[in-house]
Amino acid sequence: MGAENDIKPLTKKSFESDQDIRWCPGCGDYSILAFVQRVLPEMGIPKEKYVFVSGIGCSSRFPYYMNTYGLHTIHGRAPTVATGIKAANPDLQVWVVTGDGDALSIGGNHFIHALRRNVDIKILLFNNKIYGLTKGQYSPTSEFGKKTKSTPYGSVDYPLDPISLALGSEASFVARTADNTPKHLTEVLRRAAHHKGSAFVEIFQNCIIFNDGAFDPITGKEVRDDNTLLLEHGKPLLFGKDKKKGIRIKGFDPEVVTVGENGVTEADLVVHNENNPNPAYAFLLSRFNLPQFPVPMGVFRQSERYTYDGLLNDQVDTALSMGKGDIKKLIHGPSTWTVE
Amino acid sequence: MSDVSPLPISKEIEEKDVVVIRFCGDSGDGMQITGSRFTQATASVGNDLATLPDFPAEIRAPAGSLAGVSGYQIQFSSREIRTPGDAPDVLVAMNPAAFKTNLADLKKGGILIVNSDAFNEENLKLAGYAQNPLDTEIVKDYDLYKFPITTFTTHALETSPLIKKDKERCKNFFALGLMYWLYQRPFEPTLEWIDKQFSKKVDVANANKMALKAGYYFGETTEAFKKSFRVAKAQLNPGTYRNITGNEATAIGFITAAQLASKNLTYATYPITPASDILHELSKHKNFGIKTIQAEDEIAAIGVAIGASFAGDIGLTGTSGPGVALKSEALSLALMMELPLVLIDVQRGGPSTGLPTKTEQADLLQALYGRHGEAPVAVVAPATAGDCFHMAIEAVRIATEFMTPVIYLSDGYLANSAEPWVIPDYDKIPKIKIEHPSNPEGFKAYQRNEKLARPWAIPGVKGLEHRLGGLEKQDVTGNISYDPKNHEHMSHVRANKIKGIAKYLPPLEVFGKNEGDVLVIGWGGTHGSITSAVDELQKEGMSISSVHLRYLNPIQNDLYGLIENFETIIVPEINLGQLVKVLRAETLRDIKAINKIQGKPFKVEELKEAIKKFAAENAAKNKKLA
């Protein structure tokens, strides 16, 4: 990347497009956009190498606001288009921006297959547990019984957990953060940006119009310390204002214990290991929910695996290195005859 | 045994001008291999030929059942032919089910060869026969040969180490050998092929070779046949030929297009009959920069192709009718983003799952209009198996020159049928010139050139960062625009861009005179049947011509002038009348339609009859007016 010498270092401003941002005032998307624009300059990768791809929904307007290459595609299909971009040019940095409806409902199939293939793309899922752009219907992550415009008697759809689904889809990087925890958001975005392979990040995002305060019981300032569990690699699973509560595992079942009570010491607690070869550990964490357990935030799992786009292009490069195809020979085929 | 086909001794040889043979049997009997080997041997002796493989959708329907019958028809001749033939002169039936489903097609007096071993109680019951039909009146009109082919085969393989069941499986090669003798084809190319095909199963290779030769020598020795037949070399146009199927030509055509454009090609697809062979072929050729992706579904496949195209590859996706339906939303996105993309539709019998292995031309209106909004795309259709090669290149040329999706309409008949094909000179095919902008100065994503094409700017280039999407674009800048006047303007621009392609298309080639009584207009895989019918009618003295449309959107402008020069216009199609609808609307003429929708190509005879009927009606009308 010799061009780096003659350009000014990239800044947040370099990544801001000239388009007016049209999200509702107070929408959590603003904060996510700002932090993505803040993290990317740190990567030392030229701006023209970035492609932001989205589907349909509020979150999917994201590419218009990034001064990079971008595609605003169709509902649910962003991972497929992103896969095509990487297939053609694995050198590009491809980010998919999606929502709970886009990724998990109409695009569920593409979501799981992009993850299992480990295409080298970053997928940011803005989860606000509601359909915003269509004005307030329940989504695949809305809680059971939720009353919305389309479910005045309460939803009878059982929700799914994006982290559990991503882990079940063999994702090599799975993390969760929130739009109202700037430091944590920045750190998780940074981790995702550095991961080679599919990086999946669920971002709790507040929809101020149709589902305001949906995550207040988890990440609200007052309750955050007690109701979230910050995942830190190599450190014991501790939470609470004074970091006295922890997670211990008995058989297959986790339990919340208090350090210093009933003979419990820190040594009894689970030490977080992102690289645990057994995905069951990360899956167990993904099932943690209020009120029984704090909600884990951070990197659930990171593993190294060949990327699909890398392997695809390696096969082509290997074939080419063994001798470029002879087109005339191909057109001639295995057997010919001549008419004079 | 010698490895060289011996010259026939003592028996009479009758010269034939044209022969149609159909092999039929259970889908486990290897009829497709038998047919394709016969085709290869026939090509090697220099006959003109055309083939029609016909197989069931079930991979292995219960052995011996009517549903499991698989067939392969070949017409070969010492003169030019264009179709696999209307009715067989020879029928080789390997079991009662095949006998039952195919006998009616055999010409009266035709040669009927049956494997009498297979006419046992169980198979007769499966085929629904109360008594053995070979002992009934039903066969009296044919020249019947009852041979215990299975028994002959196992006897010939007495020294083979294979078990009895595996020996019996070689019976198709015995039948093939017999046909080689009867029509004086060499068996060497097949011996070579068997060695290659079964290189890891030497015993199987040897057994098949022995069975093939045994069949050949049996023909020579048996008293049953008093003579064999010879079909002289055809006077084909000079050139180097190969045998090719439509799907092969399609795959090779797209690889060639990518080479002509100096581009990598990404083919993303989801397996579907009858298009999957294109994936199988393309996936072998990575050393041409071909990337193949078997996506999770049809929608993903076109999404991948769109992404690849945005990033600078030739983006290609392929499917059949049901897949086109699923891809239509994404196709609209590609046309809104004005990216080059080719969608291959190898049409099959529809709607829904329809007739997966049978041919049809009923996706034309879907290709032309099957999208939401005003959504024009270019549509091309190859006319013959070999033409698939040329139209694949045309599709890529149009897509990249005009920055538009192109639908390439092949069909089940073209896909699987084989024909001798004059190998084109690669050096004489015009290159496909592609420019990617690199200068940020004044770059606008939707600034158009004289062809109304916008620039193909690809990610990775500094200063050209831009966003594309499905929302309506402001003219020139490509920014989102909800302005009503702009939407109307852009709708016109998109339509005019596609219409404008016509200016750059080659002139129509008319078969016959440029004026006269009857003009037959065809498209796609019906070329052979239509041209043969028109050729014969011309020879019978009718004032008739035909044109075959290989560009369906836009259609070459000279068609409309040509139509004015004829009194009766007829459009034959393997659907209920789709192109005819379009042409009626465009010309306001009372254009006649000939339609067939049986999953089979037109027979030359049925086309001739229908054309004659329309011509006579018109003549009667003129007489009345006079």
Side-chain angles (χ1 to χ4, degrees):
Chain A
M1 284 168 224
E4 279 173 72
N5 301 332
D6 55 318
I7 53 163
K8 286 182 284 180
L10 294 170
T11 62
K12 175 172 182 285
K13 216 162 171 51
S14 319
F15 285 91
E16 295 171 0
S17 82
D18 59 356
Q19 300 294 299
D20 295 331
I21 302 179
R22 301 190 191 190
W23 287 314
C24 307
C27 174
D29 290 358
Y30 283 94
S31 130
I32 305 170
L33 175 66
F35 285 102
V36 169
Q37 288 169 335
R38 207 163 278 175
V39 165
L40 293 190
E42 297 174 8
M43 299 296 296
I45 293 169
K47 187 163 65 91
E48 61 271 18
K49 298 247 174 177
Y50 285 95
V51 186
F52 277 77
V53 187
S54 64
I56 293 294
C58 294
S59 61
S60 289
R61 296 301 176 94
F62 200 95
Y64 290 116
Y65 309 136
M66 294 293 295
N67 188 16
T68 63
Y69 286 91
L71 289 179
H72 177 213
T73 72
I74 44 178
H75 210 8
R77 319 301 173 197
T80 71
V81 176
T83 301
I85 294 169
K86 286 295 283 191
N89 185 355
D91 196 30
L92 297 171
Q93 302 289 313
V94 181
W95 290 61
V96 169
V97 179
T98 184
D100 37 322
D102 192 56
L104 305 177
S105 192
I106 193 166
N109 198 28
H110 311 306
F111 176 74
I112 62 177
H113 288 282
L115 294 179
R116 83 168 161 88
R117 290 192 182 107
N118 201 31
V119 184
D120 181 28
I121 56 178
K122 324 298 159 215
I123 302 178
L124 307 182
L125 190 156
F126 298 8
N127 184 7
N128 55 20
K129 298 191 171 193
I130 199 79
Y131 279 62
L133 201 62
T134 51
K135 300 190 176 167
Q137 301 83 5
Y138 72 101
S139 92
T141 54
S142 296
E143 53 276 25
F144 182 77
K146 188 170 183 69
K147 288 189 175 169
T148 70
K149 267 190 192 149
S150 58
T151 52
Y153 297 97
S155 163
V156 293
D157 265 4
Y158 195 79
L160 61 71
D161 181 85
I163 301 283
S164 298
L165 181 64
L167 290 165
S169 308
E170 307 287 353
S172 60
F173 180 95
V174 178
R176 179 191 280 148
T177 183
D179 60 2
N180 64 343
T181 54
K183 258 181 76 179
H184 191 261
L185 174 63
T186 309
E187 185 48 32
V188 168
L189 288 173
R190 193 178 283 138
R191 288 287 311 277
H194 282 284
H195 178 72
K196 184 85 183 154
S198 290
F200 171 68
V201 181
E202 179 193 14
I203 306 173
F204 288 164
Q205 177 255 327
N206 191 43
C207 173
I208 195 162
I209 307 293
F210 295 109
N211 206 14
D212 193 23
F215 298 102
D216 283 357
I218 304 168
T219 59
K221 274 208 174 79
E222 303 300 307
V223 296
R224 192 181 289 169
D225 290 338
D226 285 318
N227 289 351
T228 61
L229 171 67
L230 286 178
L231 303 173
E232 292 176 275
H233 184 62
K235 294 195 178 161
L237 296 179
L238 276 166
F239 65 105
K241 266 200 178 69
D242 47 6
K243 291 268 178 193
K244 285 285 175 214
K245 283 187 277 186
I247 304 295
R248 184 169 73 176
I249 291 185
K250 254 176 131 180
F252 285 113
D253 298 317
E255 59 179 358
V256 173
V257 291
T258 307
V259 176
E261 283 178 12
N262 302 323
V264 173
T265 69
E266 260 194 37
D268 297 319
L269 304 182
V270 177
V271 175
H272 183 55
N273 178 8
E274 300 170 354
N275 314 125
N276 193 329
N278 182 357
Y281 164 67
F283 188 81
L284 188 77
L285 288 179
S286 79
R287 309 312 291 172
F288 281 19
N289 222 329
L290 297 176
Q292 203 190 345
F293 291 101
V295 176
M297 307 295 283
V299 178
F300 286 69
R301 176 170 168 81
Q302 191 201 4
S303 59
E304 297 293 328
R305 189 146 61 85
Y306 287 112
T307 66
Y308 177 81
D309 43 302
L311 291 173
L312 181 76
N313 279 277
D314 280 354
Q315 283 193 341
V316 171
D317 292 345
T318 307
L320 284 169
S321 72
M322 286 160 69
K324 205 176 168 317
D326 178 343
I327 190 70
K328 290 180 187 172
K329 224 170 131 185
L330 179 70
I331 297 172
H332 271 249
S335 80
T336 64
W337 69 97
T338 302
V339 175
E340 302 290 333
Chain B
M1 270 192 254
S2 146
D3 264 4
V4 179
S5 331
L7 289 170
I9 31 168
S10 69
K11 279 190 195 171
E12 185 197 335
I13 299 178
E14 186 184 327
E15 292 290 336
K16 283 266 185 191
D17 185 26
V18 57
V19 175
V20 180
I21 296 179
R22 185 186 295 173
F23 297 95
C24 57
D26 192 68
S27 25
D29 282 345
M31 289 299 100
Q32 299 307 316
I33 288 177
T34 309
S36 57
R37 286 307 98 205
F38 192 90
T39 302
Q40 199 61 42
T42 296
S44 77
V45 300
N47 294 138
D48 198 8
L49 66 89
T51 69
L52 177 65
D54 184 25
F55 43 86
E58 291 74 18
I59 301 301
R60 286 285 153 87
S65 69
L66 295 168
V69 174
S70 171
Y72 192 106
Q73 182 166 316
I74 171 172
Q75 174 165 232
F76 54 104
S77 175
S78 56
R79 54 180 165 81
E80 189 185 358
I81 49 157
R82 304 179 186 87
T83 74
D86 287 2
D89 303 296
V90 184
L91 184 70
V92 180
M94 298 299 280
N95 73 2
F99 174 88
K100 189 174 195 181
T101 47
N102 287 277
L103 187 68
D105 293 338
L106 181 62
K107 278 184 195 161
K108 291 281 174 274
I111 297 174
L112 174 59
I113 297 172
V114 297
N115 176 14
S116 55
D117 285 335
F119 284 67
N120 55 30
E121 200 178 332
E122 191 193 345
N123 281 339
L124 289 168
K125 208 173 136 199
L126 279 168
Y129 282 119
Q131 68 173 122
N132 191 337
L134 302 179
D135 305 330
T136 66
E137 285 287 285
I138 198 171
V139 295
K140 75 171 178 2
D141 292 335
Y142 307 103
D143 187 7
L144 173 66
Y145 299 89
K146 290 190 278 185
F147 297 132
I149 294 178
T150 313
T151 309
F152 283 168
T153 306
T154 48
H155 283 170
L157 299 182
E158 249 164 23
T159 58
S160 162
L162 294 183
I163 58 166
K164 183 163 173 275
K165 205 174 135 216
D166 288 344
K167 285 179 184 172
E168 288 178 355
R169 292 189 63 194
C170 300
K171 64 183 180 296
N172 61 326
F173 281 100
F174 185 96
L176 181 62
L178 179 59
M179 296 310 285
Y180 279 173
W181 175 81
L182 196 57
Y183 287 92
Q184 299 300 310
R185 325 267 98 182
F187 55 56
E188 291 81 1
T190 306
L191 296 181
E192 275 172 42
W193 179 87
I194 290 172
D195 275 332
K196 228 191 226 166
Q197 197 68 13
F198 302 99
S199 62
K200 289 191 183 121
K201 295 177 183 165
V202 179
D203 290 341
V204 176
N206 287 339
N208 281 330
K209 282 156 64 179
M210 277 155 75
L212 181 78
K213 289 186 204 168
Y216 191 102
Y217 296 132
F218 170 73
E220 193 177 60
T221 323
T222 179
E223 295 292 315
F225 291 114
K226 299 283 175 270
K227 59 184 174 187
S228 67
F229 303 93
R230 184 156 54 206
V231 176
K233 231 173 155 152
Q235 284 306 310
L236 298 169
N237 291 326
T240 303
Y241 285 75
R242 66 169 285 183
N243 207 31
I244 201 157
T245 68
N247 273 349
E248 278 173 336
T250 298
I252 295 170
F254 281 105
I255 297 172
T256 306
Q259 295 288 300
L260 291 167
S262 302
K263 279 275 171 196
N264 285 339
L265 182 149
T266 295
Y267 182 57
T269 185
Y270 187 78
I272 185 168
T273 304
S276 299
D277 285 340
I278 298 170
L279 168 64
H280 305 159
E281 185 63 30
L282 285 174
S283 60
K284 289 185 219 159
H285 300 293
K286 300 199 189 304
N287 58 346
F288 290 95
I290 307 294
K291 287 163 256 185
T292 53
I293 295 177
Q294 184 177 314
E296 60 270 22
D297 62 28
E298 296 281 1
I299 301 172
I302 188 169
V304 169
I306 289 172
S309 168
F310 177 63
D313 271 9
I314 303 286
L316 180 66
T317 184
T319 185
S320 187
V324 178
L326 284 165
K327 291 178 200 293
S328 74
E329 186 198 13
L331 197 65
S332 295
L333 175 73
L335 86 87
M336 199 66 166
M337 299 203 295
E338 302 193 38
L339 284 170
L341 178 97
V342 181
L343 191 171
I344 300 167
D345 175 6
V346 186
Q347 300 165 92
R348 67 188 211 186
S352 191
T353 311
L355 300 172
T357 60
K358 311 293 179 199
T359 196
E360 205 160 285
Q361 294 187 302
D363 292 352
L364 176 62
L365 293 181
Q366 177 175 229
L368 293 173
Y369 307 118
R371 286 168 295 284
H372 59 287
E374 291 290 345
V377 300
V379 181
V380 301
T384 64
D387 191 40
C388 289
F389 175 85
H390 303 286
M391 292 318 282
I393 296 169
E394 278 298 278
V396 172
R397 195 184 301 282
I398 292 170
T400 52
E401 247 178 59
F402 293 87
M403 294 294 283
T404 178
V406 177
I407 296 180
Y408 168 98
L409 280 180
S410 178
D411 62 50
Y413 168 64
L414 290 179
N416 294 316
S417 67
E419 64 170 12
W421 179 57
V422 185
I423 297 166
D425 182 351
Y426 175 78
D427 295 327
K428 290 198 178 134
I429 308 173
K431 294 270 179 296
I432 297 174
K433 289 195 197 86
I434 290 172
E435 278 174 44
H436 296 297
S438 57
N439 183 4
E441 199 66 46
F443 169 78
K444 300 268 192 288
Y446 278 71
Q447 186 112 48
R448 293 166 195 282
N449 64 15
E450 74 287 354
K451 289 175 176 161
L452 297 181
R454 65 169 202 88
W456 188 4
I458 54 173
V461 180
K462 193 171 153 63
L464 299 187
E465 290 89 347
H466 64 284
R467 275 68 58 191
L468 301 175
L471 285 166
E472 183 59 286
K473 310 278 175 296
Q474 189 179 54
D475 197 12
V476 185
T477 66
N479 290 333
I480 299 173
S481 167
Y482 298 122
D483 174 20
K485 285 267 165 61
N486 176 73
H487 176 54
E488 183 156 300
H489 171 70
M490 292 297 276
S491 300
H492 282 297
V493 170
R494 287 186 288 265
N496 289 337
K497 181 170 90 167
I498 300 301
K499 269 189 199 146
I501 297 170
K503 276 186 286 189
Y504 301 89
L505 298 179
L508 270 178
E509 287 172 32
V510 181
F511 182 76
K513 298 201 176 93
N514 278 329
E515 54 180 27
D517 293 343
V518 180
L519 176 68
V520 183
I521 305 173
W523 69 277
T526 54
H527 176 267
S529 321
I530 292 175
T531 313
S532 299
V534 171
D535 188 17
E536 290 181 21
L537 289 168
Q538 283 172 354
K539 284 175 181 149
E540 290 170 22
M542 190 184 276
S543 164
I544 184 170
S545 302
S546 63
V547 281
H548 211 75
L549 304 183
R550 296 151 81 219
Y551 302 89
L552 292 156
N553 197 33
I555 291 172
Q556 283 121 307
N557 288 326
D558 42 355
L559 180 72
Y560 302 104
L562 185 71
I563 282 178
E564 295 305 314
N565 299 341
F566 291 87
E567 282 193 30
T568 304
I569 314 289
I570 304 171
V571 179
E573 294 176 86
I574 308 292
N575 58 37
L576 292 184
Q578 300 200 359
L579 178 65
V580 74
K581 257 191 193 97
V582 176
L583 293 179
R584 280 174 186 157
E586 293 289 325
T587 63
L588 300 180
R589 284 276 302 265
D590 178 19
I591 299 175
K592 308 295 183 192
I594 300 173
N595 302 108
K596 173 175 176 176
I597 185 151
Q598 302 172 5
K600 291 177 182 174
F602 282 117
K603 288 182 178 171
V604 175
E605 269 315 309
E606 64 194 13
L607 276 181
K608 280 172 71 180
E609 264 172 47
I611 292 169
K612 279 180 185 165
K613 198 184 105 222
F614 282 127
E617 274 172 20
N618 194 53
K621 200 174 76 188
N622 283 347
K623 209 170 162 189
K624 230 179 186 176
L625 289 173

